[in-house]
């Protein structure tokens, strides 16, 4: 079986506390860029290019543990008021399946998401054909 290989990155956004944000990004193994007071995050440190799903936390005794986390759930606590972060990912498992998704998250935790796979339903509706009559771009 092929491994998924892709790229994940966000737009640029403002954060409430740059130092707290950098500490969180480091613990979460998120790559980030800083430019003119704005930050963007990326999945370049994960090996496959997707968003990380584990982060390092320090225990009271100074030891560290790996815990599951969700970037979309935790990012809002760092966003400055009025900011919207858009997280995009695209990639493929060789030519078996091409994937792409985007999620927008606001400073107050609201989200919207879409996937490249949404095109099948949209095409069926727009062109008046059954969705199951459109073959998938995969094998």
């Amino acid at each position: 079986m092929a491994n998924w290989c892709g790229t994940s990155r966000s737009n640029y956004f403002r954060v409430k506390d740059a130092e707290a944000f950098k500490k969180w990004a480091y613990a979460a193994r998120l790559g980030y860029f800083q430019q003119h007071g704005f930050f963007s995050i990326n999945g370049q440190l994960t090996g496959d290019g997707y968003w990380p799903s584990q982060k390092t936390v320090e225990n009271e005794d100074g030891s560290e543990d790996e815990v599951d986390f969700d970037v979309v759930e935790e990012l809002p606590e760092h966003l400055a008021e009025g900011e919207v972060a858009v997280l995009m990912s695209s990639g493929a498992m060789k030519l078996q399946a091409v994937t792409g998704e985007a999620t927008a998250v606001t400073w107050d935790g609201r989200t919207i998401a879409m996937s490249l796979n949404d095109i099948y339903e949209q095409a069926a509706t727009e062109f008046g054909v059954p969705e199951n009559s459109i073959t998938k771009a995969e094998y």
Side-chain angles (χ1 to χ4, degrees), residues 9 17 29 52 57-58 76 114 118 129-130:
R9 69 151 296 167
D17 180 333
R29 288 180 213 72
V57 295
E58 187 174 328
M114 61 179 55
D118 296 342
V129 300

Side-chain angles (χ1 to χ4, degrees), residues 71-93:
V71 173
V72 173
E73 287 179 11
E74 292 191 12
L75 182 57
E77 65 190 66
H78 296 284
L79 295 175
E81 185 173 340
E83 290 297 299
V84 176
V86 177
L87 287 69
M88 293 187 173
S89 296
S90 64
M93 290 175 30

Side-chain angles (χ1 to χ4, degrees), residues 5-63:
C5 183
T7 300
S8 299
R9 69 151 296 167
S10 75
N11 63 328
Y12 281 89
F13 48 79
R14 292 177 301 118
V15 298
K16 291 186 254 188
D17 180 333
E19 292 309 311
F21 175 78
K22 290 176 188 179
K23 184 177 178 180
W24 172 74
Y26 178 79
R29 288 180 213 72
L30 285 164
Y32 68 86
F33 295 106
Q34 183 177 4
Q35 185 175 39
H36 307 296
F38 289 77
F39 287 86
S40 74
I41 56 175
N42 62 69
Q44 71 182 11
L45 303 176
T46 61
D48 62 7
Y50 197 65
W51 300 110
S53 59
Q54 291 194 315
K55 69 177 184 176
T56 304
V57 295
E58 187 174 328
N59 299 315
E60 289 180 15
D61 65 2
S63 64

Side-chain angles (χ1 to χ4, degrees), residues 72 76 84-88 101-115 118:
V72 173
V84 176
V86 177
L87 287 69
M88 293 187 173
E101 58 189 38
T103 302
V105 59
T106 62
W107 78 101
D108 60 359
R110 293 174 290 147
T111 63
I112 56 171
M114 61 179 55
S115 166
D118 296 342

